């Protein structure tokens, strides 16, 4: 049985005051039976880590360097994130791929660096609108997953999470239908199963792409959707909690 994971990607948002209020709101009424995770900007990791201490809310980072240390100005290593109490880290988010030119090989190296420090990577995969219209969705997401499997193998993937985020649905208000999302989630699980059936059964696959309280139940009700990677709605404690409450386990 896979536990639901509701992860909040704050992106480049927040302030010390706003973070205090947001975490206080989430801690007030966190549903049981669901794992919640917040991924603030790196400068706030220590503050937010202290705010979630003693609760069931996990701490994650939005990015990690593929390098272990050295002359890499502006980079943050996996060991540094682990020292700050991070349990998870996003790798390969579509904004990193599109805006900062991260290729599959670099994403795979970041994934490996995280695993070496016992961080749980959340591997983001997804297609653009042009790729979907060209019927390339399957080829794109499988290639993104395969790059990581080639780097770490199925054993290195144990404990990791996948987040399917159709690029055309991120921050646009557009959302994949539950059936569209389920189709891709099932495809990703089948690809894992071709390597290791037990791994495929235990790996959580999240949906990320304008998940909100009003569409969460339909998405989370699908057999291969194990949670959400939430963007804008994670900055509002009420909406974030409502999404978690929509998971079948809490009803």
């Amino acid at each position: 049985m896979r536990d639901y994971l509701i992860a909040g990607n704050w992106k480049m948002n927040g302030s010390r005051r706003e973070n205090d209020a947001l975490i206080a709101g989430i801690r007030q009424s966190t549903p049981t039976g669901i794992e919640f995770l917040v991924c603030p900007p790196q400068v706030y990791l220590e503050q937010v880590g202290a705010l979630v201490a003693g609760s069931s809310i996990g701490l994650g980072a939005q990015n990690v360097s593929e390098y272990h240390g050295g002359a890499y100005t502006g980079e943050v290593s996996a060991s540094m994130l682990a020292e700050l109490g991070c349990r998870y880290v996003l790798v390969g988010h579509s904004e990193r791929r599109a805006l900062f030119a991260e290729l599959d090989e670099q994403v795979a190296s970041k994934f490996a660096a995280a695993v070496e420090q016992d961080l749980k990577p959340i591997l983001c995969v997804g297609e653009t609108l042009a790729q979907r219209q060209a019927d390339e969705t399957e080829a794109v997401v499988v290639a993104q997953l395969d790059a990581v499997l080639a780097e770490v193998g199925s054993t290195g993937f144990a404990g990791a999470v996948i987040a399917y985020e159709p690029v055309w649905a991120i921050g646009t208000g557009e959302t994949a239908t539950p059936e569209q999302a389920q189709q891709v989630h099932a495809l990703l699980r089948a690809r894992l199963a071709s390597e290791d059936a037990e791994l495929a059964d235990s790996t959580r696959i999240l949906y990320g792409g304008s998940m909100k309280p009003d569409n969460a139940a339909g998405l989370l009700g699908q057999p291969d959707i194990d949670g959400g990677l939430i963007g804008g709605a994670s900055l509002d404690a009420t909406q974030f909690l409502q999404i978690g409450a929509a998971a079948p386990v809490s009803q």
Side-chain angles (χ1 to χ4, degrees), residues 42 63 83 90 101 106 128 135 158-159 167 174 193 198 201 217 229:
Q42 288 176 334
N63 188 29
E83 189 175 28
L90 304 180
Q106 184 181 13
T128 64
D135 293 324
V167 180
E174 297 293 328
E198 195 172 310
D201 188 56
L229 178 58

Side-chain angles (χ1 to χ4, degrees), residues 9-132:
N9 175 16
W10 294 4
K11 305 191 180 185
M12 199 170 70
N13 294 291
S15 68
R16 295 186 69 85
R17 181 177 178 181
E18 290 170 345
N19 302 343
D20 278 334
L22 180 54
I23 297 300
I26 297 171
R27 290 193 64 156
Q28 249 183 350
S29 55
T30 307
T32 58
I34 298 173
E35 185 177 359
F36 281 85
L37 170 68
V38 291
C39 299
Q42 288 176 334
V43 293
Y44 296 129
L45 283 171
E46 189 162 19
Q47 178 210 9
V48 175
L51 293 173
V52 302
S55 75
S56 60
I57 304 166
L59 181 68
Q62 297 178 17
N63 188 29
V64 64
S65 175
E66 65 267 43
Y67 303 111
H68 300 296
Y72 301 103
T73 300
E75 292 291 276
V76 176
S77 72
S79 62
M80 294 173 183
L81 298 178
E83 189 175 28
L84 286 174
C86 290
R87 300 204 318 243
Y88 292 87
V89 61
L90 304 180
V91 294
H93 190 280
S94 62
E95 290 161 1
R96 299 296 313 175
R97 295 178 189 265
L99 301 177
F100 301 97
E102 289 189 8
L103 301 177
D104 289 344
E105 294 75 17
Q106 184 181 13
V107 172
S109 295
K110 291 186 173 197
F111 188 105
V115 169
E116 287 180 18
Q117 294 297 323
D118 294 324
L119 294 173
K120 295 181 179 181
I122 300 178
L123 171 65
C124 302
V125 302
E127 82 284 10
T128 64
L129 180 59
Q131 289 166 334
R132 173 167 279 274

Side-chain angles (χ1 to χ4, degrees), residues 200-211:
D201 188 56
S202 64
T203 298
R204 292 182 289 187
I205 307 178
L206 315 182
Y207 173 77
S210 296
M211 184 184 282

Side-chain angles (χ1 to χ4, degrees), residues 218-248:
L219 290 161
L220 295 174
Q222 299 299 311
D224 288 299
I225 298 181
D226 306 311
L229 178 58
I230 316 301
S234 71
L235 300 174
D236 182 295
T238 299
Q239 290 190 51
F240 192 50
L241 293 169
Q242 285 174 342
I243 290 171

Side-chain angles (χ1 to χ4, degrees), residues 125-127 132 136-142 144-145 162-166 168 176-191 205-207 224-225:
V125 302
E127 82 284 10
R132 173 167 279 274
E136 296 173 350
T137 297
E138 178 174 339
V140 169
V141 299
V142 169
Q144 291 170 340
L145 175 57
I162 299 173
Y164 167 56
E165 43 163 23
W168 48 272
T177 66
E179 294 74 22
Q180 286 173 322
Q182 166 59 24
Q183 184 178 22
V184 178
H185 281 236
L187 167 71
L188 292 166
R189 200 175 304 283
R191 175 66 189 93
I205 307 178
L206 315 182
Y207 173 77
D224 288 299
I225 298 181

